[in-house]
Amino acid sequence: MIVRTYPVTFLHDHTERRCDDGWHQLIYATRGQLEVITDDMRRIVPADRAVWIPAGTQHTDVMRAPISMRSLFIARGAVRGASRVVRSIAVTPLLRELVLHVSRIGALDRAVPAQARLVGVLLDLLAAAEDVRLELPAPRDPRARKLAELVASTPGDPRSIAELARVCGASLRTLERCFVVETGIALGEWRRRVRLFHALRRVEAGAAVTEVAFEVGYRSVSAFSYAFSRQFGHSPTQRGARR
């Protein structure tokens, strides 16, 4: 067996922490909101993206229901020159259909000629997949990480960053320095991206644009739409229409 699958649907929010030494993993959600968290990064995974996790990489998958997962595990020795870093990739229509087809089969055995050919096509598509960036570096400092978790868990929190910093036991100046040094992103910008990433999940789930705008802390729909379009290249209305 060279490829095994993990097709599952959750009707409740679910979190899994994994580390597979012998298998690379392609994490893909056909429906729902998925976030993949590694030690150094938070990755948002819309329905047209997937995440490649090299074997031996510890990661946490945060699945927000309802969600349908069609993940593939690929034997470590099957991929020569496989990327040793986590990748967020675009899922083309062909790759999507192949993932669904392989998931229906359940596993691929290289001793079966037809399945061996499917493996070849799958590996070719993964090698050619376009890298896309929809991720946030994670700070390492415990106080900064606490703030990051607080912002991510309640993106629409109306409190100022200074107030949140006090909750985390550090001065605003200290945390601002931590974020710039450890993530390369200013704290205010980091919070803005978290809000927009959360908005992307909600819009793709079918929530009304006005509702989402106020939910993530914007005071006007026009300001929210401008920020969303600038971040993702599509207006929230256009992005919702793609689901």
Side-chain angles (χ1 to χ4, degrees):
M1 185 171 63
I2 199 168
V3 175
R4 58 187 177 89
T5 64
Y6 180 50
V8 66
T9 295
F10 290 108
L11 299 180
H12 54 83
D13 291 352
H14 184 71
T15 299
E16 288 185 359
R17 187 161 178 82
R18 309 185 62 101
C19 182
D20 294 279
D21 288 329
W23 299 83
H24 303 297
Q25 184 178 1
L26 182 71
I27 304 175
Y28 177 56
T30 60
R31 178 184 64 150
Q33 292 91 52
L34 171 66
E35 185 173 358
V36 178
I37 302 172
T38 55
D39 287 341
D40 65 340
M41 201 77 68
R42 307 178 73 96
R43 289 172 173 82
I44 310 301
V45 192
D48 57 352
R49 312 286 170 86
V51 177
W52 169 268
I53 303 288
T57 303
Q58 194 162 58
H59 61 282
T60 299
D61 303 334
V62 180
M63 293 161 270
R64 296 178 175 86
I67 185 168
S68 295
M69 301 284 294
R70 298 295 182 268
S71 296
L72 305 183
F73 291 86
I74 303 170
R76 187 171 196 158
V79 189
R80 294 182 179 178
S83 174
R84 297 184 180 181
V85 298
V86 179
R87 298 174 60 206
S88 299
I89 63 172
V91 176
T92 62
L94 178 57
L95 178 56
R96 180 182 188 277
E97 291 307 314
L98 183 56
V99 169
L100 295 178
H101 181 62
V102 173
S103 295
R104 287 191 289 267
I105 295 173
L108 298 180
D109 186 340
R110 76 172 85 202
V112 179
Q115 294 183 8
R117 290 192 291 271
L118 286 177
V119 171
V121 175
L122 174 64
L123 297 183
D124 285 345
L125 290 176
L126 291 177
E130 176 189 359
D131 286 306
V132 291
R133 297 189 65 82
L134 198 56
E135 56 199 28
L136 273 176
R140 297 182 299 276
D141 180 273
R143 296 162 300 177
R145 189 174 284 268
K146 182 178 179 180
L147 178 60
E149 293 296 335
L150 184 60
V151 169
S153 64
T154 53
D157 193 323
R159 288 177 291 180
S160 69
I161 294 177
E163 291 175 296
L164 296 178
R166 286 194 291 271
V167 172
C168 297
S171 69
L172 176 58
R173 180 173 296 181
T174 295
L175 290 178
E176 286 179 330
R177 184 170 59 251
C178 284
F179 270 82
V180 170
V181 171
E182 297 182 357
T183 72
I185 302 172
L187 176 50
E189 172 65 12
W190 201 94
R191 187 188 201 188
R192 186 190 70 84
R193 293 190 195 180
V194 167
R195 286 177 163 177
L196 291 174
F197 287 176
H198 177 80
L200 177 65
R201 290 195 296 263
R202 296 282 286 121
V203 166
E204 290 195 330
V209 172
T210 299
E211 175 188 345
V212 174
F214 293 114
E215 180 181 317
V216 297
Y218 280 82
R219 295 182 179 180
S220 74
V221 175
S222 59
F224 166 69
S225 296
Y226 174 78
F228 190 100
S229 299
R230 189 176 180 184
Q231 181 70 42
F232 301 120
H234 300 277
S235 72
T237 301
Q238 291 171 324
R239 191 73 196 192
R242 295 173 61 182
R243 63 190 181 92

